[in-house]
Amino acid sequence: MTRAFPVGGVSFVSRFSLPSLKHIGFAPRLRAVMLRSCARGPQDALRCALPAALPAVCDRLRECAARIPEAREVLAILEKCTKQQCKGDFPIVVFEGLDATGKTTVTQAVKDALDAVLLRSPPACISQWRTIFDDEPTPIRRAFYAAGNYILASEIAKASTQAPVVVDRYWHSTAAYTIATEINGNVQNLPPVQDGVYQWPEDLLKPDLVLLLTVSPEERARRLEHRGLERTKEEAEMEANSLFRQRIEESYRRMMNPACQEVDANPSKEEVLKTVLQLIKKHCAF
């Protein structure tokens, strides 16, 4: 199957075929081999955990579909929506960052300021299955979040034909958290700058701008205390393990094509919004 995808405003053609749902099955021995192969070394495990393209995502979901019915549902949604990954005329701005850096507040404010469409990852059509996949081994869990990016891309593409699109997390979150989870120790143990793991997937709709919101550890702690929301396992680990948090932040900073533009979110929400809108005006055409 042939698909056209925009990169930097220019479309290119990518060939891939989605796996047919009639072939979905689960072979325990195959899954065991997959997980063992992911454990040969840190770099091997990382590349196994982070699917590089849509076919790899679908293969991973197929391997667990007999055991996890929701994987079949995700595959069915993917088959319906991947045809729509052609960007419209309006800009796409993604906001990334750790939990409690102000993404929810800023994205809502930007949505109102630009009269934009606000979308979030994972998309609503699969977010109810998040807790199910969070309890699965890393390769399966990451396939779910990667699939969410491709589903979200279809929603982004459709929305961008009608209005600017603001996105609360996208591929960079999937990649940064995967890298930080699979690599232990301090940031010196991360894959080197320019490594392929930091590269945006060629078959995924690309945004016009990615803004990384950052705050000091002290400010994050203060905000988290006032939120009282249930946290994911990774968010809980981030609070207990400062090295894990540092690996996530550094992974975000190493992302390429597009890179993340860092925004200091420590000031007041009014100041942060002003900075963000200036960057959008500078980098996006309306």
Side-chain angles (χ1 to χ4, degrees), residues 67-71 126-137 140-141 144-145 233:
R67 182 174 59 86
I68 308 174
E70 291 80 7
I126 66 168
S127 61
Q128 71 270 26
W129 302 320
R130 184 175 182 177
T131 55
I132 295 172
F133 286 92
D134 278 348
D135 287 332
E136 291 297 322
I140 296 172
R141 183 169 71 251
F144 168 75
Y145 284 101
K233 291 179 180 179

Side-chain angles (χ1 to χ4, degrees), residues 1-283:
M1 188 178 296
T2 302
R3 299 278 189 265
F5 300 95
V7 173
V10 179
S11 293
F12 72 92
V13 174
S14 174
R15 292 184 178 273
F16 63 86
S17 59
L18 282 173
S20 173
L21 291 180
K22 68 181 180 181
H23 297 303
I24 288 175
F26 175 70
R29 286 190 298 175
L30 177 59
R31 178 172 175 269
V33 169
M34 176 189 74
L35 295 177
R36 283 198 301 271
S37 68
C38 291
R40 290 172 182 167
Q43 299 298 327
D44 291 334
L46 174 56
R47 282 161 178 76
C48 183
L50 186 61
L54 180 58
V57 173
C58 293
D59 287 345
R60 192 72 50 77
L61 291 172
R62 279 181 15 187
E63 289 163 357
C64 67
R67 182 174 59 86
I68 308 174
E70 291 80 7
R72 291 197 296 271
E73 298 291 337
V74 174
L75 282 165
I77 295 171
L78 277 169
E79 287 189 340
K80 293 177 182 178
C81 71
T82 49
K83 300 175 182 179
Q84 304 169 14
Q85 283 199 24
C86 293
K87 182 181 178 298
D89 294 331
F90 290 90
I92 301 166
V93 182
V94 174
F95 287 84
E96 298 283 8
L98 302 179
D99 198 35
T101 53
K103 293 187 302 299
T104 300
T105 300
V106 173
T107 53
Q108 183 62 50
V110 173
K111 170 190 177 296
D112 294 341
L114 301 181
D115 195 20
V117 175
L118 174 58
L119 299 172
R120 292 186 171 89
S121 179
C125 61
I126 66 168
S127 61
Q128 71 270 26
W129 302 320
R130 184 175 182 177
T131 55
I132 295 172
F133 286 92
D134 278 348
D135 287 332
E136 291 297 322
T138 297
I140 296 172
R141 183 169 71 251
R142 292 305 169 199
F144 168 75
Y145 284 101
N149 289 316
Y150 286 95
I151 295 169
L152 182 61
S154 291
E155 297 180 4
I156 293 170
K158 182 178 180 180
S160 67
T161 64
Q162 304 168 0
V165 183
V166 175
V167 186
D168 186 343
R169 290 189 171 176
Y170 197 17
W171 174 262
H172 284 340
S173 279
T174 302
Y177 277 83
T178 302
I179 294 166
T181 300
E182 294 301 317
I183 302 298
N184 296 318
N186 56 34
V187 296
Q188 282 72 33
N189 294 337
L190 291 173
V193 176
Q194 302 297 319
D195 189 281
V197 298
Y198 303 117
Q199 184 70 244
W200 190 272
E202 290 186 351
D203 61 350
L204 181 64
L205 184 69
K206 189 178 297 186
D208 296 285
L209 179 64
V210 181
L211 299 177
L212 174 64
L213 303 182
T214 62
V215 297
S216 67
E218 295 77 18
E219 177 63 15
R220 276 194 70 251
R222 187 190 68 79
R223 294 180 183 183
L224 284 169
E225 285 180 5
H226 289 84
R227 288 178 60 175
L229 299 177
E230 184 179 354
R231 303 176 191 175
T232 65
K233 291 179 180 179
E234 288 170 342
E235 289 164 350
E237 181 182 352
M238 187 164 52
E239 298 314 304
N241 186 343
S242 62
L243 290 179
F244 181 54
R245 184 185 69 245
Q246 292 167 19
R247 293 195 301 271
I248 297 172
E249 290 179 321
E250 182 59 26
S251 295
Y252 271 127
R253 294 185 178 105
R254 297 186 184 189
M255 295 298 167
M256 302 181 294
N257 191 31
C260 296
Q261 297 215 29
E262 196 165 339
V263 175
D264 180 7
N266 284 292
S268 68
K269 60 183 180 181
E270 292 80 13
E271 291 179 81
V272 175
L273 177 60
K274 180 180 178 181
T275 299
V276 164
L277 291 176
Q278 287 174 344
L279 286 170
I280 294 173
K281 181 178 180 181
K282 176 180 178 181
H283 294 280

